[in-house]
Amino acid sequence: EDQVTQSPEALRLQEGESSSLNCSYTVSGLRGLFWYRQDPGKGPEFLFTLYSAGEEKEKERLKATLTKKESFLHITAPKPEDSATYLCAVQAFNDYKLSFGAGTTVTVRA
Amino acid sequence: DVKVTQSSRYLVKRTGEKVFLECVQDMDHENMFWYRQDPGLGLRLIYFSYDVKMKEKGDIPEGYSVSREKKERFSLILESASTNQTSMYLCASSHSLPEAFFGQGTRLTVV
């Protein structure tokens, strides 16, 4: 069974204080690893897909990286508007569904 | 932009009621999904559909059923609502690419 574990559960940052979120996974043949952002009371918003170890994707202050066992979401010089819950999910080959971690809630203080 | 629209943002229903949650996507996606999201548990898959009239059980299908009569519409049905079905329900759709796009969610409260 696919398993996704995110850490930490919560992260409080000062504006400009860079940090990283971790997503550890086990899956029988990784088709893709996904990062989503979710604001309170809203549905998840797609950020990145990573397909193979060594791959990196960037979007504004966010950078996602992938190894064979885990992914990191690096937040560089965060701003208050980066406050959200970040979700990691994996999809196996020959499977339609995504398996999600419980998320990391990031709070950035001005 | 992909648009996935859920019919209600908030619903309050009584125990034992039959509840319908509707989801419509406008991008001709083959795959559609229903998840529920609870604090500390993350998103859990209830049902998904990979084609019209086709459905597969997810991880927690008990107490739920689904209907997909048209490609763009995927309905989740709570046959007899119970208080432990109080949750945030999220619909998603995807094409051949694996990225799934989500609706805004329906927060259901069963009293």
Side-chain angles (χ1 to χ4, degrees):
Chain A
E1 185 178 316
D2 303 339
Q3 200 161 4
V4 181
T5 304
Q6 292 187 246
S7 61
E9 288 185 18
L11 189 60
R12 293 178 65 87
L13 301 172
Q14 201 66 36
E15 185 172 4
E17 178 188 1
S18 301
S19 189
S20 295
L21 286 57
N22 178 263
C23 172
S24 298
Y25 66 91
T26 55
V27 63
S28 55
L30 181 69
R31 183 182 184 197
L33 183 141
F34 310 90
W35 283 98
Y36 287 84
R37 170 193 169 124
Q38 186 175 25
D39 293 307
K42 296 188 176 181
E45 175 189 344
F46 172 74
L47 292 173
F48 304 111
T49 306
L50 301 167
Y51 293 100
S52 57
E55 190 175 359
E56 298 182 352
K57 293 272 179 79
E58 283 189 72
K59 181 179 180 179
E60 296 181 358
R61 294 175 293 281
L62 301 177
K63 179 179 176 180
T65 62
L66 181 65
T67 72
K68 287 187 177 180
K69 293 184 178 180
E70 57 191 351
S71 176
F72 292 93
L73 184 66
H74 307 279
I75 309 178
T76 302
K79 297 182 178 182
E81 53 262 42
D82 294 321
S83 297
T85 295
Y86 292 86
L87 301 171
C88 173
V90 297
Q91 185 184 36
F93 283 110
N94 301 318
D95 198 353
Y96 292 97
K97 73 173 189 180
L98 300 180
S99 297
F100 281 85
T104 294
T105 300
V106 175
T107 305
V108 183
R109 296 164 291 175
Chain B
D1 276 358
V2 175
K3 192 159 186 183
V4 180
T5 304
Q6 294 183 228
S7 54
S8 304
R9 289 295 305 275
Y10 302 95
L11 276 178
V12 180
K13 296 292 182 180
R14 294 192 180 278
T15 301
E17 275 193 79
K18 192 168 185 175
V19 181
F20 294 85
L21 303 183
E22 306 285 345
C23 175
V24 177
Q25 50 95 1
D26 66 356
M27 286 301 293
D28 203 35
H29 284 174
E30 293 90 0
N31 308 316
M32 296 188 75
F33 308 82
W34 276 106
Y35 289 86
R36 65 176 280 177
Q37 185 176 31
D38 301 288
L41 296 178
L43 277 78
R44 293 178 292 165
L45 182 66
I46 304 171
Y47 268 97
F48 67 97
S49 168
Y50 52 90
D51 202 349
V52 175
K53 297 191 187 293
M54 305 303 289
K55 60 186 179 184
E56 292 284 343
K57 292 181 180 179
D59 298 319
I60 50 164
E62 297 79 18
Y64 303 94
S65 62
V66 290
S67 172
R68 193 165 180 203
E69 297 297 318
K70 293 185 178 181
K71 192 174 186 179
E72 67 270 18
R73 186 180 297 270
F74 192 34
S75 302
L76 179 70
I77 303 154
L78 286 66
E79 298 291 344
S80 177
S82 62
T83 55
N84 62 13
Q85 293 178 309
T86 292
S87 186
M88 170 74 109
Y89 289 88
L90 292 160
C91 175
S93 73
S94 72
H95 193 45
S96 53
L97 292 174
E99 294 91 352
F101 296 90
F102 284 83
Q104 78 275 29
T106 297
R107 184 163 295 283
L108 173 67
T109 302
V110 182
V111 298

